[in-house]
Amino acid sequence: MLDRMAADHDLTLSLRGVTKQYPGCLANDRVDLTVGGAEIHALLGENGAGKSTLVKIIYGVVRPDAGDIVWRGEKVTVENPAHARRLGIGMVFQHFSLFESLTVAENIALAINDRAERVNLRERIVETSREYGLPLNPDRTVHDLSVGERQRIEIVRCLLQKPKLLIMDEPTSVLTPQEAETLFTTLRRLAKEGCSILYISHKLEEIRALCEAATIMRLGRVVAHCDPRQKSAKELAELMIAAELEPQQRSRRVVDDAAPPRLAVDRLTVASPNPFGADLKEVAFTVAPGEILGIAGIAGNGQNELMDALSGEIPAGKPETIRLDGVAVGHMGPRERRAIGGCFVPEERNGHGAVGPMTLSDNAFLTAVARKPLSSFGFVRRARVLEFAREVIKGFDVRTTGPRAQARSLSGGNLQKFLVGREIMQAPSTLVINQPTWGVDAGAAAAIHRALAEMAVNGAAVVIISQDLDEIFLVCDRIAVIAGGRLSPPIPVAEATIEQIGLVMGGSEHAGEAAHA
Amino acid sequence: MREGIRLVPRGNPSRLWTYASPVLAVVLTIVVSGVMFLAMGKPPATAVYTFLVAPLVQTGGLSALAVKAAPLIMMGAGLALCYRASVWNIGCEGQFTVGAIFAGGLALGLPDLPAPILYPAVMVAGVVGGAATAALTAWLRTSLNVNEILSSLMATYVAQYLLIWLVTGPWKDPRGFGFPQTAMFSDGATTPTLIPGTGVHLGCLVAPLAAIAVWALMSRSTLGFQLRVVGEAPRAARFAGFSERRLIWVAMLVSGGLAGLAGMFEVTGPIGQLTTEISPGYGFTAVIVAFLGRLHPIGAIFAGLLLALSYLGGDAAQIDLGLPNAVTGIFQGVLLFLLLACDILINFRVRLPARRSETAEAA
């Protein structure tokens, strides 16, 4: 490489005026970003702020409409991800691209285009993973591995290419607190060896702990460059969402165990319909009136199976395994359970909780018909359905053009508010909600948390299944952890610590190993 | 930078192109047909006129159109319902055939019953025959997870051989000089003519009414809502507690029943007996009708009329121009092909390689 000015060399990557227009959405508006050599640089912003689009531009997945990318002192056009890798840019995506039925080594080999580089691959995987404290067995099949281990495959895959810049997209969203700490050690070590890291996250504390520079984005624009170590988490959050945050804390109540539970689950054992899913094993818990129970856990440990078994999408075996207000419902389908008083909000919005191409009014009808008089003689009472959809939109401050808007035209946060509102306005006695604020902006998340708390105050039982421990500690009265399809006994949140919960969450890895041995 | 024509995804599907696409497809099909006629040594303008216009302006043209369109509309509307629910019944031809066999069997078996009893019974027999054939497919799908495209198509061949066996064997008219056909049906089992002196029969009225009924079912009833949800998002349907099995049965029985009814009208009306040739492929053409009509039952009425015209045009091209009857099949095939191609425009916009377009987009 030409020996250019040292100053330019230090700037590993520099973006100037990068702009990307999507239909109806300006994803990046004249974004400037500079990542220095050996620097851990945070890219901070809410969901929808344009972070993902920006890193996809850097990695050659998306072409910018305007703007320059300067890489190690030279202006470049990144043609595609393979080109990015040749330049020395590696990326670990939030959603992994791994084949479940192949081994670790096979998955890594697939990503290497050059035949010569595949020589001695196994040895190099072992060597690299040992060197950076990322233990990996190259002969294990991916579907046997925990999410943390899968992430290690992706990281090792990048490191084998000796990158000068490593992009990490929300890496800790799938890790236990302990696993995250191990990851930070690896990243710090990489930076020390001269690899720059662009670290994308909306978790403020970890950015303050890890990063030495930050670029904060909002609605496609850069709103600030700062040193996160000099700012408080509250200051960063305010930059990110442009509003002063009110501290939000609800007074926790001691759960009254004497009251008859609204929801009682007794030794629920269900085989997962998904071959790589987690089977539920003797899950048992009760939720009292006015209680919010949080179920923590790392993705893929049985949360979706539990949600589907509670909602009635998959049969729960004997009727007595699930009781709603004392009625055995284990054998019933979703509509009958709703009629008795259980309402549900699944994790996936488009295609599960809602039908994307249908209107909000149709989507309101989808589940509300079970509890509200929205049909007569087999026909839809369209005026009433429109009225109900309007009430939900108004009551939950859903930003949309009206009840005739297509569900998929709404942003993630707005659609989630609509779906939560649809269930809450049916006045259920029990509400089960899976990942209530996943991919939802901070304002909408706060609104959803307030609505759930209000339900509990009014005497309903609420179950929140969430990967976000902060959320559970913020809104729940009791907490249980799901790991490997088993649920730990619920304990009061006031008595739990993040470290302790983190250890139970990680238990799945060993439990899983034992099951396969 | 020089670039070729590019397709750029739209954010939302275009409403305009949802309806403009079939119109464009029809126009392009006429152009392609003209080129085809030219290649066969016929003056294209005259040939297109003979194929698409002459059948309508000659005496009796409109009533012939109504007779051909009736089965297409009935089956097209039923398939629109089916396909909205993502149940891919392509065996309408077989359901049509079995409907005709059931109706014809009853008409032949009890010819002397009084018409007010016999005719409704023949109608019901037609519906039952079509629905029973569709039920076989529904059962295979819901209990053994057999792909309905294959089973409904295969059932079609079984139905056709059953018909051939019946009219050449047990049901053959003893006084028919050995032709493969049954006796003519009695008056009581014959579909009444609506306009004296033309072929326009009761089925020509029932077909649009059936399409309207299917429309009301789909857009206004809870059952129609469930069918749409299961077609659009099966997981959301499960989440809402709709039974997918039940909805597959409903979709198959409705479309099969309508196909059986169409078969019944055809053999008790224009044909008047069972023969080996009771359909020029109406059941397969109905698939094109459903898609050309945007999977909307009312759209099926317009699409059914157009494709009925292609049958009349095929006859006219054969008689007046000496072209093979395959012209009809080619016209229908090209139309479906171009329709699917034009549907790209619903979700994509075409960007021409103009130099200023780049800057215009960025602004």
Side-chain angles (χ1 to χ4, degrees):
Chain A
M1 224 191 152
L2 287 173
D3 221 344
R4 290 194 168 225
M5 290 179 297
D8 240 356
H9 243 279
D10 278 343
L11 304 179
T12 296
L13 173 78
S14 145
L15 305 184
R16 289 185 209 128
V18 168
T19 297
K20 177 68 192 178
Q21 170 85 54
Y22 282 120
C25 161
L26 190 56
N28 285 160
D29 186 4
R30 287 160 290 165
V31 171
D32 295 329
L33 172 75
T34 300
V35 181
E39 178 182 78
I40 306 185
H41 190 108
L43 185 57
L44 184 62
E46 289 195 274
N47 290 293
K51 297 172 304 207
S52 293
T53 303
L54 192 67
V55 293
K56 280 183 188 157
I57 288 171
I58 299 170
Y59 196 54
V61 179
V62 170
R63 286 276 191 100
D65 295 325
D68 294 330
I69 302 175
V70 178
W71 171 248
R72 307 182 88 198
E74 282 188 49
K75 202 179 141 189
V76 290
T77 308
V78 187
E79 302 285 345
N80 51 45
H83 183 208
R85 287 195 291 270
R86 280 201 303 280
L87 289 172
I89 303 174
M91 177 153 174
V92 176
F93 285 91
Q94 189 177 0
H95 301 285
F96 308 142
S97 36
L98 297 171
F99 291 94
E100 301 245 349
S101 52
L102 299 184
T103 66
V104 172
E106 285 165 339
N107 265 292
I108 293 177
L110 275 172
I112 298 175
N113 298 328
D114 193 345
R115 188 178 280 270
E117 286 184 31
R118 288 200 210 120
V119 180
N120 296 332
L121 187 62
R122 257 189 108 264
E123 288 71 25
R124 283 167 51 218
I125 292 170
V126 174
E127 193 184 312
T128 308
S129 67
R130 192 178 305 142
E131 197 180 334
Y132 288 96
L134 299 163
L136 266 188
N137 177 350
D139 300 321
R140 291 283 299 272
T141 311
V142 169
H143 75 76
D144 290 338
L145 301 183
S146 73
V147 184
E149 288 172 299
R150 291 176 195 210
Q151 188 179 55
R152 279 180 224 152
I153 304 176
E154 296 265 1
I155 297 173
V156 169
R157 182 148 84 176
C158 287
L159 293 184
L160 283 172
Q161 320 240 358
K162 305 256 180 285
K164 297 287 179 297
L165 171 69
L166 183 61
I167 305 172
M168 306 282 300
D169 191 1
E170 304 264 2
T172 55
S173 61
V174 292
L175 301 181
T176 63
Q178 285 84 358
E179 285 175 318
E181 208 40 63
T182 315
L183 174 69
F184 294 163
T185 311
T186 305
L187 294 181
R188 286 195 190 101
R189 163 123 192 256
L190 272 170
K192 204 169 280 170
E193 290 175 6
C195 176
S196 307
I197 290 160
L198 184 57
Y199 187 91
I200 299 152
S201 182
H202 61 256
K203 294 188 182 170
L204 306 166
E205 287 301 344
E206 64 182 42
I207 282 178
R208 291 185 61 239
L210 183 70
C211 304
E212 52 214 276
T215 297
I216 302 175
M217 290 184 74
R218 183 166 75 224
L219 299 173
R221 291 197 183 154
V222 172
V223 290
H225 296 282
C226 67
D227 182 342
R229 292 166 301 186
Q230 310 291 324
K231 302 264 182 197
S232 72
K234 186 163 172 284
E235 285 172 311
L236 289 175
E238 281 168 3
L239 282 169
M240 194 164 93
I241 69 171
E244 281 200 28
L245 287 178
E246 296 167 31
Q248 189 198 21
Q249 185 82 36
R250 83 182 248 276
S251 53
R252 276 199 195 94
R253 275 143 309 135
V254 178
V255 173
D256 179 10
D257 278 321
R262 291 245 185 245
L263 173 65
V265 176
D266 181 21
R267 283 163 293 162
L268 174 66
T269 299
V270 172
S272 174
N274 174 354
F276 298 125
D279 302 337
L280 297 180
K281 296 173 200 110
E282 307 221 311
V283 169
F285 62 91
T286 61
V287 193
E291 176 185 355
I292 304 183
L293 171 69
I295 295 182
I298 306 159
N301 274 280
Q303 288 96 329
N304 293 335
E305 287 79 3
L306 178 61
M307 181 72 201
D308 290 353
L310 291 177
S311 75
E313 274 188 67
I314 50 179
K318 281 186 300 226
E320 307 81 47
T321 51
I322 301 173
R323 286 177 190 275
L324 281 170
D325 286 320
V327 183
V329 299
H331 59 300
M332 291 182 185
R335 277 183 82 143
E336 293 161 282
R337 294 188 193 189
R338 282 203 185 92
I340 287 171
C343 282
F344 312 92
V345 183
E347 174 181 6
E348 191 68 37
R349 290 182 279 270
N350 273 314
H352 195 183
V355 186
M358 286 189 158
T359 64
L360 291 181
S361 169
D362 279 343
N363 276 295
F365 183 77
L366 185 69
T367 65
V369 66
R371 287 180 68 75
K372 296 204 138 244
L374 297 179
S375 72
S376 61
F377 302 109
F379 281 86
V380 181
R381 297 169 84 167
R382 307 205 316 156
R384 285 211 177 200
V385 177
L386 275 173
E387 187 51 42
F388 176 66
R390 262 191 216 107
E391 281 168 27
V392 174
I393 289 168
K394 192 153 170 285
F396 284 79
D397 188 29
V398 180
R399 312 281 163 79
T400 171
T401 51
R404 289 191 179 83
Q406 280 189 338
R408 66 175 168 203
S409 72
L410 270 63
S411 71
N414 271 312
L415 185 55
Q416 184 72 354
K417 281 198 281 186
F418 183 81
L419 297 183
V420 171
R422 173 182 76 184
E423 305 303 330
I424 289 182
M425 292 192 78
Q426 296 176 43
S429 60
T430 298
L431 180 75
V432 184
I433 181 164
N434 192 3
Q435 317 300 344
T437 55
W438 177 81
V440 164
D441 59 85
I448 288 168
H449 289 157
R450 264 197 305 277
L452 294 174
E454 196 181 323
M455 274 196 76
V457 168
N458 292 334
V462 179
V463 179
I464 295 177
I465 304 172
S466 178
Q467 276 156 252
D468 186 346
L469 271 183
D470 297 338
E471 172 172 79
I472 289 182
F473 274 83
L474 185 68
V475 293
C476 296
D477 302 309
R478 287 203 291 182
I479 179 170
V481 175
I482 190 163
R486 288 181 194 278
L487 191 75
S488 72
I491 56 169
V493 166
E495 293 166 19
T497 65
I498 296 238
E499 288 68 35
Q500 175 199 354
I501 296 297
L503 283 173
V504 186
M505 280 161 70
S508 67
E509 210 171 315
H510 308 292
E513 226 123 76
H516 282 288
Chain B
M1 209 196 289
R2 281 213 48 89
E3 280 175 331
I5 296 174
R6 282 201 301 154
L7 290 171
V8 184
R10 294 177 196 273
N12 282 314
S14 158
R15 257 196 121 69
L16 170 70
W17 278 105
T18 305
Y19 298 103
S21 156
V23 176
L24 179 64
V26 169
V27 171
L28 288 175
T29 304
I30 292 171
V31 172
V32 171
S33 307
V35 171
M36 185 179 73
F37 291 135
L38 188 66
M40 296 166 103
K42 309 288 173 191
T46 320
V48 168
Y49 179 85
T50 310
F51 188 70
L52 288 177
V53 185
L56 294 178
V57 296
Q58 74 196 27
T59 31
L62 289 177
S63 54
L65 186 73
V67 171
K68 292 272 184 212
L72 293 177
I73 292 170
M74 247 179 269
M75 288 191 280
L79 287 182
L81 175 146
C82 228
Y83 296 167
R84 281 268 173 219
S86 288
V87 177
W88 304 104
N89 174 14
I90 57 162
C92 261
E93 185 78 0
Q95 293 141 22
F96 176 97
T97 304
V98 177
I101 291 172
F102 272 44
L106 185 65
L108 294 169
L110 301 165
D112 301 324
L113 277 183
I117 298 166
L118 181 58
Y119 188 71
V122 168
M123 258 176 138
V124 170
V127 173
V128 169
T133 313
L136 181 69
T137 298
W139 177 77
L140 284 168
R141 165 75 197 272
T142 53
S143 60
L144 300 171
N145 208 18
V146 175
N147 183 311
E148 73 274 16
I149 297 178
L150 296 177
S151 66
S152 66
L153 182 62
M154 291 195 288
T156 298
Y157 298 109
V158 176
Q160 285 171 341
Y161 284 112
L162 178 67
L163 175 69
I164 291 170
W165 175 67
L166 286 171
V167 300
T168 55
W171 290 3
K172 190 160 89 171
D173 182 6
R175 286 168 292 171
F177 306 104
F179 282 107
Q181 59 192 36
T182 65
M184 296 299 285
F185 302 142
S186 66
D187 284 349
T190 298
T191 293
T193 304
L194 292 181
I195 307 172
T198 70
V200 177
H201 58 84
L202 183 63
C204 304
L205 178 66
V206 171
L209 292 180
I212 291 168
V214 170
W215 169 77
L217 176 77
M218 285 306 279
S219 64
R220 295 284 186 268
S221 75
T222 51
L223 183 64
F225 178 81
Q226 296 188 1
L227 287 164
R228 282 186 289 138
V229 171
V230 83
E232 203 74 69
R235 273 212 83 182
R238 232 171 295 147
F239 171 67
F242 306 157
S243 157
E244 195 181 2
R245 287 170 62 97
R246 175 167 161 264
L247 293 170
I248 289 171
W249 274 97
V250 168
M252 284 307 297
L253 291 181
V254 170
S255 61
L258 281 169
L261 186 66
M264 168 267 164
F265 278 125
E266 201 62 20
V267 292
T268 61
I271 301 174
Q273 65 190 146
L274 288 177
T275 73
T276 52
E277 305 281 333
I278 59 169
S279 160
Y282 286 137
F284 296 120
T285 304
V287 176
I288 307 176
V289 170
F291 279 105
L292 190 63
R294 312 281 73 187
L295 301 186
H296 193 295
I298 304 301
I301 297 179
F302 298 103
L305 289 169
L306 179 73
L307 282 145
L309 179 59
S310 76
Y311 281 116
L312 298 180
D315 291 342
Q318 200 173 5
I319 296 162
D320 297 343
L321 300 171
L323 288 171
N325 203 17
V327 168
T328 302
I330 292 172
F331 179 87
Q332 293 182 354
V334 170
L335 179 59
L336 181 62
F337 178 80
L338 289 173
L339 177 70
L340 296 177
C342 290
D343 278 352
I344 291 279
L345 295 170
I346 297 171
N347 287 311
F348 292 86
R349 74 175 88 240
V350 176
R351 194 189 279 179
L352 297 172
R355 242 172 257 117
R356 9 180 231 105
S357 70
E358 289 277 309
T359 46
E361 284 283 326

